[in-house]
Amino acid sequence: MTKPELPKAYDFRSTEPRVYEMWERGGYFRPSNDPNKEGFDPKARPFVISIPPPNVTGELHLGHAARVSTEDLMIRYHRMRGIPTLWVPGTDHAGIATQLMVERDLLKTEEVTREELGREEFVKRTWEWKKKYGSIITKQIRRLGASPDWDRERFTLDEGLSHAVREAFVRLYEKGLIYRGPRLINWSPGLKTAVSDLEVEYSEEEATLYYFKYMLKGSDEFIPVSTIRPETILGDTAVAVHPEDERYKHLVGRTAIVPMLGREIPVIADDYVSREFGTGALKITPGHDPNDYDIAQRHHLPIISVLDEAARINENGGAYKGQDRFECREKLWADMKNAGLVIKTQPYTTTIPRSQRGGEIVEPMISTQWFVTIEPLAKAALAAVKDGRVKIIPERFEKVYFNWLENIRDWCISRQLWWGHRIPMWYCPDGHMTTGRLDPKACGTCGSTQLTQDPDVLDTWFSSGLWPFSTLGWPEETRDLAYFYPTSVMETAYDILFFWVARMIMFGLEFTGEVPFHTVYLGGLIRDEHGRKMSKTYGNVIDPLVVMDELGTDALRFTLLVGSSPGNDTNLSVKRVEANRNFANKMWNAGRFVISAVNSLPPEARADSEYTLADSWIWARLQQLVRDVERLFQSYQYGEAGRQIHEFFWSEFADWYVEIAKQQMQSESTRGQTVATLARVLDISLRLLHPFTPFVTEELWGHLRQALKESSLSALAADWPEALIIAAWPEQKEPEGWEDAKVADFSLVQEIVRSVRNLRAEKNVPPTRKLAASMLAGSKTTLLEEQSNTIAALAGLDASKLRVDAKAGKPSEESIVLVVGSVEVYLPLAGMVDVQAERARFSKELADTEAQIRRLEQLLSGDFASKAPAPVVEKERERLAALKETAQKLNAQLR
RNA sequence: GGGCGCAUAGCUCAGUUGGUUAGAGCGUCUCUCUUACACAGAGAAGGUCAGGGGUUCGAGUCCCUUUGCGCCCACCA
């Protein structure tokens, strides 16, 4: 029977889509225990992740790829462990981002602004946009090999989630935790909306500090004052000095004159003012500065707003009305200069608040907005982490979380946008407010039917905050909610700890009475190979789609998952992805070798012989690996786990065991057992690797399974399911007694092989030249006799001329001698022996060995022997004994 | 002004209950197209684990400190 040959190089391009389709068709992404289906077992605890929903109109970037890879790894691992697993996918409507994108497109294609289009039409167009482009991101997530339950995909603006948002708002409002009122908020003049504190970013910038005179009424006296924003002078309602300041103390209570406007304002005393800074006097602009606002509250000062929604001067700015804030800054300053009010200007570095989205300078402004009273929510969220109901990994972020929640301020949730959840509040002509779970028909206070809904929408994060439970059906008491909530792990990047994670915990506790997840796993950011942030202006952006096209998804995933640790940023270079593409190819070829070994097995072959040394060794190593991987997974150290599997597969299985297997397969007596071992080790390796590199492992495993089923070793695959994605995770087995001895014996074989190879390289002996050799092996004689074929094959020796003796003299001919532990290897290399060089080599080795002996003897004679644990001491004693033996052999050679 | 992280081979990074000879990938040098793989194999060079101090029989790992980078939070005009 001829079997189709597998291609020499792993063809990820054809494999990935085919395998993904197979998974989806097989329904493997759906939870194995579904509360909506027959046979549901409510006692089987599920493992649940809600995906951090990407922007519905977004394009996949490496951040997504890192998140999705990590989550998929967790999901696949738990699924393989037989745990009912649910990963809820979905997208976020991303208010500002999406609205801006559609606005930009409308302007470009139709030369129309959203205002010209009108609200209703604009929202309609945005929905059309969403329908057209909204599936791009989810398709890209599929390309990453993600295995969420697509049947449960949600969108933050879909009907169910809108229902949840409405419920949440109404509940908070009824509880008195949502209020509306004029407050000083951060205003984005470019976007013409309020933004929350979190959406403001501060950057160190060069600015100018303007010094000027605040003239006092009815005199030539003045108070010198400085400001960074002269245009806010127009809104000043006081000049403040420190109450103890001798320079100005006597002026408190006098009246100052606002430059150019002539408005009269008081001079007040407040100890907020720092005597040391600037002139020691402070202008108070409560309408455009948070500190001044607080001072104004204390002193009952009027609040004057001088800017309109586009940050132009409004009617309170007198002659400057209509000017842009920066234009006014110049003009006003020029006018003040002419009026003799200017003292000086000086360059000044300060932190400038900018809009996270638009980048323009944000203005503090008085504006009527909706707020969430955050303190009670924050307290509960704080407690949940403090008492361990929610665990944050890495732990250090708990401190950051505490610090933020302890100093949190009310959350401004209204946005002057059109794309989002409209605030469910209606006003009658008399200004009464009415809300409800259903749209009200009449005013709840006066019965008026002339209701208009609040034009604002809610902050996008308001709906994202409900994500872990709204996606499961909340506020309805669905079966999904009952079974899958609270979720297990929230996996996301640390940069949205406040934006999202903290708010989910607050909302989860408030609305469901439970934490939304037990564990928060915070990953790092992806940077370029030198640790720089990726940005289009630098031109250092790596597009994950391009990387997947060129090197394969598994290579990208393995790179993102291995070589970094939780909470730390990852520097990604294409070089590393290439190396991992090579690893996928390594798996492919090692797998191909095993599969062809299975395929060419004669029908009568049985795996009934004793394990050889190499068989035992690879098993011992594999069992050790399984245990280590399990331990590492339990502590979220996926990167280290991946590294160890990589090392095992490549450096031990492929480099050593496969090579030895080639020898063992030549003897009919060991052939069956060797092929069986190859197949079983490959099987377990593929299972361990599957969460990291799902495609190549699934593909190979399918071929392996097929081959085994058709071979005389079909029993090995008897209980394998139809796909690796649902195959059982390898179990840890307790170490068996023989392992250590076998591993040590095998190490000796490796050492001998390495020494010979080393010598061959040094002496430039061509690989084709098989050398004769004899080994003086002492107590290792039996072992080495058994291993002589293996050693010969791996070291390039002539097996028929390889002698192993317990004790014998040197061979008569001229030889090179290698001392490997207690074994001497003689290689007759007539004509190539340089007596001087050989002696030098021995001398050096002897010196090294003796140095180690001295060090160990010193160690063992000190407190170490009595204070260190017995096994550690024993190990060193054994090493010392071995070293002494080696030294003795070397000495003999030098005589 | 607070808080946190990082500093290990030329480059990018692993190294989590402290165990004595510190690893990987890439890069460099030598050899080899050996019937799984040249996206490979074999071999080699390369590190006072930022500096200092301490705890310990033993420190890359724990504690203190200095220096240099990075990040987060914060209302000084």
Side-chain angles (χ1 to χ4, degrees), chain A residues 108-151:
Chain A
K108 212 171 101 190
T109 58
E110 301 179 37
E111 295 186 352
V112 64
T113 66
R114 77 176 155 108
E115 286 83 2
E116 285 163 359
L117 218 50
R119 180 167 191 152
E120 204 179 324
E121 181 61 20
F122 179 80
V123 170
K124 205 181 115 200
R125 296 292 188 91
T126 311
W127 271 106
E128 281 166 13
W129 179 282
K130 186 260 169 188
K131 286 194 184 90
K132 196 165 161 194
Y133 300 112
S135 60
I136 291 181
I137 187 77
T138 52
K139 287 206 181 85
Q140 292 171 335
I141 286 173
R142 282 175 166 87
R143 278 211 57 193
L144 286 166
S147 59
D149 183 0
W150 291 110
D151 294 346

Side-chain angles (χ1 to χ4, degrees), chain A residues 465-767:
Chain A
L466 310 170
W467 186 253
F469 44 100
S470 64
T471 50
L472 294 173
W474 186 88
E476 309 304 326
E477 288 172 16
T478 60
R479 293 173 183 200
D480 270 10
L481 188 67
Y483 180 58
F484 293 118
Y485 189 83
T487 67
S488 312
V489 176
M490 171 47 60
E491 195 280 344
T492 190
Y494 63 75
D495 60 341
I496 52 174
L497 177 61
F498 306 144
F499 275 108
W500 194 42
V501 178
R503 281 156 178 176
M504 282 188 288
I505 297 176
M506 291 194 271
F507 276 1
L509 289 165
E510 175 65 23
F511 297 121
T512 71
E514 292 183 89
V515 294
F517 29 74
H518 298 302
T519 302
V520 175
Y521 175 100
L522 295 173
L525 275 26
I526 309 298
R527 299 172 174 282
D528 81 356
E529 59 188 312
H530 297 293
R532 290 171 308 204
K533 209 172 161 179
M534 288 190 191
S535 82
K536 284 182 185 161
T537 43
Y538 274 138
N540 60 347
V541 177
I542 298 173
D543 182 348
L545 296 164
V546 172
V547 173
M548 285 190 278
D549 282 342
E550 290 172 357
L551 300 166
T553 297
D554 289 330
L556 176 64
R557 284 179 57 128
F558 201 80
T559 308
L560 290 169
L561 291 168
V562 177
S564 61
S565 38
N568 291 327
D569 294 350
T570 302
N571 295 356
L572 187 116
S573 73
V574 175
K575 288 270 185 202
R576 275 182 58 217
V577 187
E578 267 171 29
N580 289 325
R581 181 269 319 262
N582 296 352
F583 180 47
N585 194 238
K586 190 70 181 179
M587 288 182 224
W588 179 256
N589 277 296
R592 218 158 54 94
F593 172 79
V594 175
I595 289 160
S596 81
V598 173
N599 280 336
S600 50
L601 216 48
E604 69 281 3
R606 295 285 174 275
D608 49 10
S609 61
E610 293 280 308
Y611 278 159
T612 65
L613 177 65
D615 296 344
S616 298
W617 167 76
I618 198 71
W619 271 116
R621 287 293 305 119
L622 183 61
Q623 289 308 323
Q624 182 65 47
L625 177 71
V626 169
R627 283 194 300 277
D628 287 344
V629 167
E630 193 58 30
R631 177 179 57 81
L632 292 165
F633 267 37
Q634 292 303 330
S635 51
Y636 300 91
Q637 297 176 70
Y638 303 116
E640 177 63 10
R643 209 210 94 239
Q644 290 197 19
I645 305 170
H646 176 278
E647 183 182 284
F648 169 82
F649 192 86
W650 199 317
S651 307
E652 298 189 308
F653 181 60
D655 285 350
W656 286 92
Y657 188 73
V658 167
E659 290 309 312
I660 293 170
K662 288 175 186 172
Q663 292 314 118
Q664 298 186 1
M665 280 157 57
Q666 283 173 11
S667 155
E668 284 311 314
S669 63
T670 50
R671 182 174 182 178
Q673 189 63 277
T674 300
V675 175
T677 303
L678 281 169
R680 291 167 68 193
V681 174
L682 177 65
D683 165 44
I684 293 173
S685 301
L686 293 177
R687 291 179 197 234
L688 292 174
L689 283 162
H690 186 254
F692 295 89
T693 55
F695 289 112
V696 66
T697 52
E698 181 72 77
E699 177 73 356
L700 265 179
W701 196 80
H703 290 299
L704 177 66
R705 177 175 175 273
Q706 173 87 12
L708 278 175
K709 294 229 169 198
E710 291 169 6
S711 78
S712 64
L713 300 176
S714 60
L716 286 182
D719 61 348
W720 292 12
E722 75 271 15
L724 177 57
I725 185 173
I726 50 165
W729 185 251
E731 275 183 40
Q732 350 178 23
K733 292 195 185 120
E734 288 310 306
E736 293 170 40
W738 44 258
E739 281 184 0
D740 279 350
K742 295 290 183 183
V743 170
D745 285 350
F746 191 78
S747 294
L748 177 65
V749 173
Q750 285 182 305
E751 284 306 308
I752 292 170
V753 170
R754 284 200 190 102
S755 295
V756 176
R757 283 173 174 173
N758 202 317
L759 182 84
R760 297 180 67 112
E762 253 174 51
K763 301 280 179 194
N764 284 320
V765 181

Side-chain angles (χ1 to χ4, degrees), chain A residues 48-56 60-61 63-72 74-75 87-93 137-138 141 148 150 154 156 461 464-465 467-468 471 487 489-496 500-501 504 517 520-523:
Chain A
V48 185
I49 296 181
S50 321
I51 201 171
N55 290 2
V56 67
L60 193 79
H61 55 65
H64 297 125
R67 303 281 65 80
V68 168
S69 300
T70 309
E71 288 152 29
D72 193 52
M74 295 181 184
I75 288 287
W87 185 11
V88 183
T91 49
D92 192 292
H93 68 280
I137 187 77
T138 52
I141 286 173
W150 291 110
R154 303 306 295 264
T156 48
W461 297 104
S464 331
W467 186 253
T471 50
T487 67
V489 176
M490 171 47 60
E491 195 280 344
T492 190
Y494 63 75
D495 60 341
I496 52 174
W500 194 42
V501 178
M504 282 188 288
F517 29 74
V520 175
Y521 175 100
L522 295 173

Side-chain angles (χ1 to χ4, degrees), chain A residues 70-228:
Chain A
T70 309
E71 288 152 29
D72 193 52
L73 175 145
M74 295 181 184
I75 288 287
R76 284 180 189 268
Y77 164 64
H78 285 92
R79 187 186 288 125
M80 289 176 79
R81 286 182 57 195
I83 294 166
T85 301
L86 174 63
W87 185 11
V88 183
T91 49
D92 192 292
H93 68 280
I96 294 178
T98 304
Q99 176 164 325
L100 281 176
M101 188 174 282
V102 175
E103 273 186 88
R104 221 174 290 138
D105 180 70
L106 283 171
L107 207 57
K108 212 171 101 190
T109 58
E110 301 179 37
E111 295 186 352
V112 64
T113 66
R114 77 176 155 108
E115 286 83 2
E116 285 163 359
L117 218 50
R119 180 167 191 152
E120 204 179 324
E121 181 61 20
F122 179 80
V123 170
K124 205 181 115 200
R125 296 292 188 91
T126 311
W127 271 106
E128 281 166 13
W129 179 282
K130 186 260 169 188
K131 286 194 184 90
K132 196 165 161 194
Y133 300 112
S135 60
I136 291 181
I137 187 77
T138 52
K139 287 206 181 85
Q140 292 171 335
I141 286 173
R142 282 175 166 87
R143 278 211 57 193
L144 286 166
S147 59
D149 183 0
W150 291 110
D151 294 346
R152 285 179 166 84
E153 182 182 347
R154 303 306 295 264
F155 174 50
T156 48
L157 266 183
D158 69 24
E159 206 182 324
L161 270 65
S162 299
H163 183 44
V165 167
R166 169 77 69 104
E167 177 71 23
F169 185 95
V170 172
R171 276 200 204 179
L172 287 177
Y173 182 75
E174 287 175 345
K175 215 172 159 180
L177 292 177
I178 281 190
Y179 64 92
R180 180 179 190 249
R183 293 287 185 285
L184 196 70
I185 49 88
N186 305 294
W187 184 264
S188 163
L191 304 168
K192 295 200 182 77
T193 178
V195 293
S196 73
D197 295 345
L198 279 178
E199 289 162 287
V200 179
E201 285 175 345
Y202 294 86
S203 61
E204 285 257 302
E205 291 178 29
E206 282 299 320
T208 304
L209 194 54
Y210 299 82
Y211 289 80
F212 66 99
K213 302 172 179 172
Y214 241 112
M215 302 307 296
L216 294 173
K217 187 183 176 187
S219 81
D220 291 340
E221 290 175 279
F222 65 87
I223 300 177
V225 174
S226 62
T227 181
I228 289 168

